[in-house]
Amino acid sequence: QKEVEQNSGPLSVPEGAIASLNCTYSDRGSQSFFWYRQYSGKSPELIMFIYSNGDKEDGRFTAQLNKASQYVSLLIRDSQPSDSATYLCAVLAAPTDSWGKLQFGAGTQVVVTP
Amino acid sequence: GAVVSQHPSWVICKSGTSVKIECRSLDFQATTMFWYRQFPKQSLMLMATSNEGSKATYEQGVEKDKFLINHASLTLSTLTVTSAHPEDSSFYICSARARGSETQYFGPGTRLLVL
């Protein structure tokens, strides 16, 4: 059973602080990793993806990947109330899954307090 | 770029009727489309995967005769909920992936309420 685990939260973050979200996955053969944001009542929207070990920065967001430890994280700098949402970690299965299905975590709810 | 639309955004129907939901990739060709369902406060649940011109592959526990999927072109996939019942009321979301890309882009979702 391939699993993607996230803390459900809620993660309460003061405005302006850094929110740190973690995600672990069980399939060591996983190749690609995605972070989606889902506002209440809306569909997920892509924040960023990461394929290689290390950090990847995009604006206020930084994704970090450590394949040896099988975890991927997302940092949100200078958190704003508009960042309050559920953040979904998604993992692309090993290349044997040619359909490109993603395994989603249950999501971490982030609440940014003014 | 990478815009996916869904229609309708809301649908209310009587029990026993069928409902068709359309998913379109507006600015790219989607070789693979995915259909998800999400109940309130719960995770996304993948229902099925469809490749253009092929039969859909359904996840375990999803009735293929109840949830009919057609992926007739590289920009359009449809999900038909046949003989809908109140327990089918949910948020149905599609996503699309282009050839050679690993990224899925989601449509805005369709809320189905079966009375």
Side-chain angles (χ1 to χ4, degrees):
Chain A
Q1 178 74 18
K2 300 174 184 177
E3 292 183 350
V4 179
E5 300 285 343
Q6 295 181 256
N7 289 327
S8 61
L11 176 66
S12 183
V13 180
E15 184 174 358
I18 296 175
S20 178
L21 292 76
N22 295 317
C23 170
T24 59
Y25 58 95
S26 62
D27 185 357
R28 187 170 288 278
S30 298
Q31 301 287 310
S32 308
F33 307 86
F34 303 82
W35 283 100
Y36 289 85
R37 175 175 62 197
Q38 186 174 23
Y39 290 113
S40 180
K42 303 293 185 181
S43 67
E45 57 179 319
L46 180 69
I47 297 175
M48 62 193 305
F49 55 83
I50 186 167
Y51 303 144
S52 304
N53 278 327
D55 295 359
K56 180 180 178 182
E57 187 175 313
D58 185 356
R60 295 187 295 111
F61 298 98
T62 298
Q64 300 173 318
L65 175 61
N66 185 322
K67 290 185 180 180
S69 299
Q70 294 177 239
Y71 83 78
V72 56
S73 62
L74 180 70
L75 301 178
I76 308 173
R77 290 183 300 281
D78 187 24
S79 295
Q80 302 297 309
S82 59
D83 295 325
S84 297
T86 297
Y87 290 80
L88 304 172
C89 172
V91 177
L92 184 69
T96 51
D97 186 343
S98 61
W99 295 76
K101 289 194 293 187
L102 295 177
Q103 301 287 337
F104 280 89
T108 297
Q109 183 186 2
V110 172
V111 178
V112 180
T113 54
Chain B
V3 178
V4 178
S5 70
Q6 273 185 252
H7 178 80
S9 55
W10 259 105
V11 59
I12 301 173
C13 69
K14 292 182 179 180
S15 185
T17 60
S18 294
V19 174
K20 179 184 282 189
I21 302 170
E22 291 187 350
C23 176
R24 294 181 184 273
S25 56
L26 299 185
D27 53 1
F28 67 101
Q29 293 186 328
T31 50
T32 307
M33 287 185 169
F34 304 85
W35 286 95
Y36 296 84
R37 182 166 56 179
Q38 188 174 38
F39 293 105
K41 306 290 186 184
Q42 294 189 22
S43 307
L44 284 173
M45 187 193 82
L46 179 65
M47 300 175 66
T49 303
S50 72
N51 281 331
E52 184 265 338
S54 303
K55 288 185 178 179
T57 300
Y58 291 81
E59 295 299 300
Q60 191 172 4
V62 178
E63 301 174 58
K64 63 180 181 181
D65 294 331
K66 181 170 183 62
F67 299 100
L68 302 178
I69 292 172
N70 184 281
H71 191 163
S73 76
L74 285 172
T75 59
L76 173 64
S77 176
T78 60
L79 167 68
T80 301
V81 183
T82 62
S83 186
H85 291 285
E87 58 266 28
D88 298 322
S89 299
S90 188
F91 189 34
Y92 291 86
I93 314 171
C94 73
S95 70
R97 182 178 71 97
R99 188 189 310 276
S101 170
E102 297 176 333
T103 304
Q104 288 185 31
Y105 296 94
F106 284 85
T110 297
R111 293 205 177 276
L112 170 64
L113 177 62
V114 184
L115 302 177

